[in-house]
Amino acid sequence: MRDLAGRPEGLRLIVRRVKPSRRDAKKLTAFEHRTGWRYQIVATNIPAHQGLSSVPGSGQAWFCDALHRDHAEVEDRVKAIKRIGLGLLPSKSWQVNEAWVPAATIAADLDAWTRLLLLHDAPEPARAEPATIRSKLYHLPARLTAHARRRVLHLDRSWPWAHVFTTAWQRATDLPALT
């Protein structure tokens, strides 16, 4: 048992033991190599009985682990917004920073809504990194032409993401207009 003296009141450590994947093999400690398990430790101050007595299992360690894992999705979105543009701060000019932050957050929101509304049933693009979506979906290998007062988008049919794009485009055009 770890001595938690001097730590904040109510602090608990939750340890998960999982079989290491091939990706984790290089990062294992000597102890983990010897035991054949990978250990993940979460420090939390969520009480064992959080007042969620109506939720079965809310006092169990797995419930706190699930809460922390759910929060990891929030951290993934923060990582994504940094990759989309917020990671390029700070500029020497306050005015540039003042304009850049809303622009980067709008881009992150558009990326999140695109994934939620248009790519929800395509697992690979929905979970792809922002750079992958940008290179595969937003930087489109297509030609836009005009004919009979209409614009026509010509996609290369051999492009691997053509079906994903056309499905997303159809869903976007089917969204109800805001009034």
Side-chain angles (χ1 to χ4, degrees):
M1 178 82 177
R2 179 86 175 148
D3 180 23
L4 299 177
R7 304 283 189 231
E9 184 68 30
L11 181 72
R12 296 185 304 150
L13 298 177
I14 299 172
V15 180
R16 287 186 68 226
R17 183 180 83 162
V18 294
K19 280 288 185 191
S21 66
R22 282 184 285 155
R23 189 179 75 190
D24 297 329
K26 291 186 253 179
K27 298 181 277 184
L28 295 177
T29 65
F31 177 75
E32 290 172 333
H33 271 297
R34 196 169 55 250
T35 61
W37 293 95
R38 182 169 182 253
Y39 295 91
Q40 299 168 337
I41 302 172
V42 174
T44 183
N45 61 353
I46 298 173
H49 41 79
Q50 186 180 3
L52 299 171
S53 57
S54 63
V55 179
S58 61
Q60 302 296 321
W62 64 264
F63 186 80
C64 288
D65 183 48
L67 286 176
H68 282 278
R69 286 170 158 266
D70 191 44
H71 188 71
E73 291 180 27
V74 174
E75 292 171 2
D76 287 344
R77 293 309 311 158
V78 170
K79 221 173 16 175
I81 193 173
K82 286 180 180 178
R83 289 186 181 137
I84 287 174
L86 205 57
L88 299 175
L89 286 174
S91 172
K92 290 182 181 178
S93 166
W94 174 258
Q95 288 81 12
V96 170
N97 289 337
E98 196 173 29
W100 190 260
V101 170
T105 55
I106 288 170
D109 285 347
L110 287 172
D111 179 65
W113 281 110
T114 298
R115 292 166 189 266
L116 181 68
L117 295 175
L118 309 178
L119 302 172
H120 55 82
D121 63 348
E124 183 186 349
R127 287 192 293 269
E129 292 292 324
T132 303
I133 291 290
R134 189 170 37 251
S135 68
K136 304 274 188 189
L137 202 60
Y138 300 154
H139 295 172
L140 194 60
R143 192 180 65 222
L144 186 63
T145 60
H147 176 72
R149 297 185 192 180
R150 293 182 55 196
R151 290 187 177 172
V152 180
L153 183 66
H154 301 276
L155 285 174
D156 180 8
R157 294 189 193 279
S158 65
W159 179 48
W161 285 51
H163 177 70
V164 173
F165 178 81
T166 54
T167 304
W169 181 259
Q170 187 62 46
R171 287 180 180 159
T173 57
D174 290 345
L175 289 173
L178 296 174
T179 56

